[in-house]
Amino acid sequence: MAAASIKRNYGQRFAFYNHAMHEKLMVEQKIINTMESSLERGDFAVYLQPKVEVDTGRLIGAEALVRWEHPEFGMIFPGDFVPVFERNGFIYHLDLFVWRKVCRMLREWKELGAEAVPISVNVSRIDLYHEDLLESLLDMVLENGLDPEELHLEITESAYVKDSVQLVSVIRRLKQAGFVIEMDDFGSGYSSLNTLSELPIDTLKLDLNFLRQAEHQPRRQKVMRLIIDLARELRLQVVAEGVETEAQAALLKALGCRYAQGYLFGRPMPEERFFREYLEKQGL
Ligand code: C2E
Ligand code: MG
Ligand code: MG
Ligand code: MG
């Protein structure tokens, strides 16, 4: 009897997982089938989220975040497709599109006479293996009459783990060409503090879980303060990600973290709205 019931339960559970997995694979397959046509049709949009100085609320930059306005699924967030595109290699094509779009935005803002701020773009670990990465980035920047310094490259902490020799040299070349390098999601992965001195990094972006955990844990606050102090010694800017509450902003101030990004200051938004709300009133 026990065996029968175990078998029955197992069978149900198996059917359940099997169904969920099947769904997931179907969605993934659809994503893969539609990615190229979607890119051609212009279904991918580049949203911008402000980065500010915590003390004053002054705008210091923006991060470009991709959104997929999918004809069938509606708005899809990068968490659902970036990992898929990293596996099948499409991410580089999507990122080239995002970076090109960002360069055009920067040029347009200048043409409109706005006091533009640098925009940070996300660079996937996969992009770093493309031989023509540096050349493509430089072409876009020059074609739009920009300085490489206006484009900041966010490279996730976990990218530094594997094949560090090759990646370190790619990142050094990007830096030498004048791009500003930001280490994304710092504190989420396993990079050693050594990485900080080895790589030509300009900015540390503290992972949002770092702040969440520090909020109620004094020991973690001490670690966070130490990292912020170390970053200052190394002349790195520190930007805290995912700031949602006044209490979190107050903690950042107390710990000496100058810059932040998060829903408290502004959500990711379409370019037109970002321009109206953040640039037009400042620059014009
Ligand atoms: P990320 O680079 O660490 O970006 C920050 C993420 O935190 C964004 O999620 C942003 O919308 C979200 N966020 C900002 N403020 C808050 C807050 O106050 N609270 C919370 N809970 N979240 C906040 P998003 O846009 O869904 O992007 C997720 C990840 O996908 C990004 O993490 C980045 O790794 C990747 N990604 C986004 N756009 C691109 C892209 O154009 N290319 C590549 N390769 N990756 C991208
Ligand atoms: Mg980022
Ligand atoms: Mg991040
Ligand atoms: Mg993150």
Side-chain angles (χ1 to χ4, degrees):
M1 192 188 82
S5 106
I6 286 169
K7 196 171 167 204
R8 195 169 56 242
N9 286 337
Y10 178 76
Q12 275 166 3
R13 285 234 305 268
F14 180 75
F16 170 75
Y17 282 128
N18 198 26
H19 180 70
M21 270 162 57
H22 182 70
E23 282 282 275
K24 198 172 168 243
L25 285 177
M26 293 282 287
V27 170
E28 200 167 307
Q29 198 52 53
K30 246 181 202 151
I31 280 180
I32 293 168
N33 291 343
T34 49
M35 62 191 189
E36 277 168 333
S37 52
S38 259
L39 187 60
E40 276 165 25
R41 249 201 327 265
D43 294 342
F44 287 97
V46 178
Y47 276 40
L48 296 173
Q49 184 181 32
K51 291 185 182 184
V52 303
E53 186 176 52
V54 183
D55 266 344
T56 58
R58 180 176 64 92
L59 184 77
I60 60 145
E63 177 174 7
L65 295 159
V66 71
R67 299 288 180 259
W68 191 353
E69 289 152 1
H70 197 276
E72 187 177 340
F73 302 128
M75 170 94 97
I76 326 184
F77 291 85
D80 289 325
F81 57 84
V82 165
V84 179
F85 294 170
E86 285 182 333
R87 284 197 295 274
N88 70 16
F90 188 66
I91 191 68
Y92 188 56
H93 302 283
L94 179 61
D95 281 341
L96 286 174
F97 162 83
V98 171
W99 305 338
R100 204 170 282 125
K101 184 123 185 156
V102 162
C103 288
R104 282 202 293 259
M105 287 179 192
L106 285 166
R107 184 180 70 192
E108 270 173 39
W109 293 347
K110 280 190 187 171
E111 285 169 359
L112 291 166
E115 203 181 305
V117 288
I119 304 184
S120 308
V121 296
N122 288 286
V123 178
S124 163
R125 182 174 45 84
I126 307 296
D127 301 332
L128 297 173
Y129 292 98
H130 280 262
E131 299 254 295
D132 64 346
L133 170 71
L134 175 60
E135 208 187 317
S136 305
L137 278 166
L138 277 175
D139 281 351
M140 292 176 200
V141 159
L142 297 178
E143 272 166 26
N144 288 285
L146 306 171
D147 210 300
E149 280 175 22
E150 295 172 78
L151 198 64
H152 292 199
L153 308 178
E154 293 194 5
I155 305 175
T156 187
E157 185 194 31
S158 57
Y160 306 104
V161 182
K162 278 194 202 152
D163 299 314
S164 55
V165 178
Q166 146 122 18
L167 293 188
V168 167
S169 94
V170 173
I171 293 166
R172 287 215 172 112
R173 269 186 283 136
L174 290 167
K175 173 67 187 167
Q176 266 161 19
F179 293 100
V180 175
I181 311 291
E182 305 195 13
M183 189 192 264
D184 207 351
D185 309 315
F186 184 76
S188 68
Y190 302 96
S191 67
S192 67
L193 289 177
N194 217 11
T195 324
L196 291 184
S197 52
E198 197 186 345
L199 286 171
I201 301 163
D202 300 285
T203 299
L204 271 194
K205 295 194 75 185
L206 297 180
D207 191 65
L208 83 180
N209 288 312
F210 217 80
L211 179 63
R212 300 265 184 296
Q213 288 163 351
E215 220 180 337
H216 307 288
Q217 298 179 32
R219 282 173 68 90
R220 286 192 188 259
Q221 284 176 22
K222 290 197 173 122
V223 174
M224 196 160 160
R225 182 189 292 278
L226 212 67
I227 286 174
I228 292 165
D229 288 347
L230 176 66
R232 188 179 307 113
E233 287 292 317
L234 293 171
R235 306 259 182 283
L236 306 181
Q237 251 194 9
V238 183
V239 181
E241 293 188 311
V243 183
E244 292 180 354
T245 64
E246 292 289 354
Q248 288 170 346
L251 176 62
L252 291 177
K253 276 189 220 175
L255 296 177
C257 176
R258 269 187 82 184
Y259 304 106
Q261 183 180 345
Y263 298 163
L264 178 67
F265 305 105
R267 288 185 175 255
M269 61 190 89
E271 178 201 353
E272 302 73 36
R273 185 162 150 219
F274 181 84
F275 182 79
R276 265 199 325 275
E277 289 188 13
Y278 289 89
L279 297 180
E280 212 163 25
K281 63 184 176 201
Q282 293 208 340
L284 301 178

